Amino acid sequence: MATVAAPKKLESKDYKPEVPPDWCPGCGDFGVLNALFQACAELEIQPHEMLVVSGIGCSSNLPGFFRSYGVHSLHGRALPFATGAKLANHAMTVIATGGDGDGYGIGLNHFIQAMRRNINLTYIVMNNEIYGLTTGQVSPTSEVGMKTKTTPHGNLEGMLNPMALALASGCGYIARGFSGQPKHLMKLYQEGIRYPGFALIDVFSPCVTFNKQNTYQWFRERVYKLDESGHDPADFHAAMDKAMEWGTKIPIGLFYRNPNPRPSIDALDPGLQSGPLVTQPLGLSKEQRVKCIEEFM
Ligand SMILES: Cc1ncc(C[n+]2csc(CCOP(=O)(O)OP(=O)(O)O)c2C)c(N)n1
Ligand code: SF4
Ligand SMILES: [Mg+2]
């Protein structure tokens, strides 16, 4: 009798393409990527059943270093692209990635709209508080007073707070990790990917080349884990209080997980209830055509 081989257990190496990342040695994005390999392997997501979409930036090069379907789109446009892909095939696990400049600067409107719409995808933002790819300009998350190429006398603008913004925009899963703590980060990814709606994971991912202020050491001295501090992630107002913390102590971990997740768009849209659009027949049936003509004539 023929025996059927048990399916192979996935490992990190199954997501590694032949081309290794070309990030600067020590860049925080390595830790972000390695934690994602591990998270996907443990969740047993087949590479051909997932899509990783990015914008433009060092961090946005990530889909090229991950073996799955991938798109390196336009600056600030990872989320619109990911939204379209998810609606076309909601059976796919969709992960959007990028940087603070990409997502919180040029792409900020799309970030807010995607959370409001509640598209079921996971958004990983490698937040290094600078524009890395373009060699060190100020970003929306750069600290006040920070000296960069474009702010030689110090940044005069206030910092954007992605955690508070996500809470206010209806995001149901809001977490922050640190690439220097990849195991902790991996758990945040896993929960975010499993969450049935838009999930934000902001990651402190130091740019060792252009941000000499927010270094690994700087973060290590400040970050503390919410899960070890008695924080209740089901409490929206407690999450907002934690989102406002910045200074000598900075929280990482799960800020908020909506205990009653509102249904995501793909769970609500009537057109998607008979299966992913890509598997539905193209065009209209005769009955549908007649119904349309009757309605519009
Ligand atoms: C429409 C448009 N404007 C500007 C740029 C130039 N540009 C490329 S990446 C980038 C910023 C990248 O910063 P971030 O998203 O934080 O990524 P990082 O490189 O820090 O990972 C900018 C301004 C561009 N490619 N397209
Ligand atoms: S410039 Fe900064 S963000 Fe870009 S690869 Fe180098 S260390 Fe990483
Ligand atoms: Mg950046």
Side-chain angles (χ1 to χ4, degrees):
M1 199 171 74
T3 52
V4 180
K8 188 175 120 353
K9 222 174 163 323
L10 285 161
E11 297 171 48
S12 287
K13 67 176 170 51
D14 295 314
Y15 303 88
K16 284 187 189 167
E18 280 164 30
V19 182
D22 61 357
W23 292 313
C24 307
C27 175
D29 297 352
F30 283 101
V32 173
L33 177 65
N34 289 333
L36 189 61
F37 290 147
Q38 191 69 35
C40 293
E42 288 192 15
L43 289 177
E44 297 183 29
I45 308 173
Q46 295 292 335
H48 69 278
E49 289 172 348
M50 64 185 293
L51 169 73
V52 185
V53 182
S54 68
I56 300 290
C58 295
S59 40
S60 290
N61 290 337
L62 188 143
F65 311 137
F66 194 96
R67 201 169 71 82
S68 69
Y69 288 107
V71 180
H72 191 187
S73 77
L74 300 172
H75 197 28
R77 302 297 184 268
L79 288 174
F81 198 100
T83 299
K86 185 70 186 182
L87 293 181
N89 186 359
H90 64 269
M92 292 281 265
T93 297
V94 177
I95 297 180
T97 69
D100 42 305
D102 193 73
Y104 304 151
I106 191 170
L108 186 67
N109 176 45
H110 297 300
F111 175 50
I112 298 168
Q113 305 289 8
M115 291 188 285
R116 176 183 70 76
R117 292 191 178 117
N118 198 23
I119 313 294
N120 185 6
L121 55 84
T122 306
Y123 187 32
I124 299 170
V125 181
M126 285 155 264
N127 185 354
N128 54 16
E129 301 171 48
I130 201 140
Y131 290 179
L133 186 76
T134 45
T135 72
Q137 296 81 12
V138 73
S139 115
T141 54
S142 297
E143 289 191 283
V144 178
M146 183 169 165
K147 289 190 178 172
T148 70
K149 271 193 184 156
T150 43
T151 55
H153 305 295
N155 181 20
L156 302 174
E157 298 176 4
M159 273 176 95
L160 183 126
N161 184 332
M163 317 316 279
L165 181 63
L167 277 163
S169 305
C171 183
Y173 181 94
I174 303 168
R176 181 157 64 200
F178 172 36
S179 74
Q181 299 194 13
K183 274 194 189 149
H184 179 250
L185 180 60
M186 189 200 60
K187 295 283 170 210
L188 299 175
Y189 287 161
Q190 287 186 337
E191 272 199 65
I193 293 169
R194 278 199 215 106
Y195 181 77
F198 190 98
L200 168 70
I201 301 146
D202 179 269
V203 190
F204 292 141
S205 181
C207 171
V208 294
T209 305
F210 295 110
N211 188 338
K212 302 294 182 191
Q213 183 169 313
N214 308 108
T215 60
Y216 283 98
Q217 187 57 29
W218 191 93
F219 285 114
R220 273 195 202 102
E221 284 164 9
R222 287 166 178 78
V223 296
Y224 74 92
K225 292 191 182 127
L226 285 172
D227 38 307
E228 292 171 1
S229 75
H231 173 64
D232 175 8
D235 184 336
F236 179 91
H237 296 284
M240 190 57 99
D241 287 343
K242 289 293 169 191
M244 300 312 290
E245 277 183 25
W246 189 269
T248 52
K249 292 277 165 221
I250 301 175
I252 57 171
L254 181 58
F255 283 63
Y256 182 62
R257 187 185 196 288
N258 189 335
N260 303 300
R262 62 190 172 103
S264 63
I265 284 285
D266 56 275
L268 287 174
D269 192 311
L272 304 184
Q273 300 318 304
S274 50
L277 280 184
V278 287
T279 61
Q280 293 185 32
L282 283 174
L284 299 174
S285 65
K286 191 178 170 204
E287 292 72 36
Q288 287 169 321
R289 283 200 302 273
V290 170
K291 216 173 147 211
C292 274
I293 291 167
E294 280 172 0
E295 195 174 329
F296 292 111
M297 293 302 276

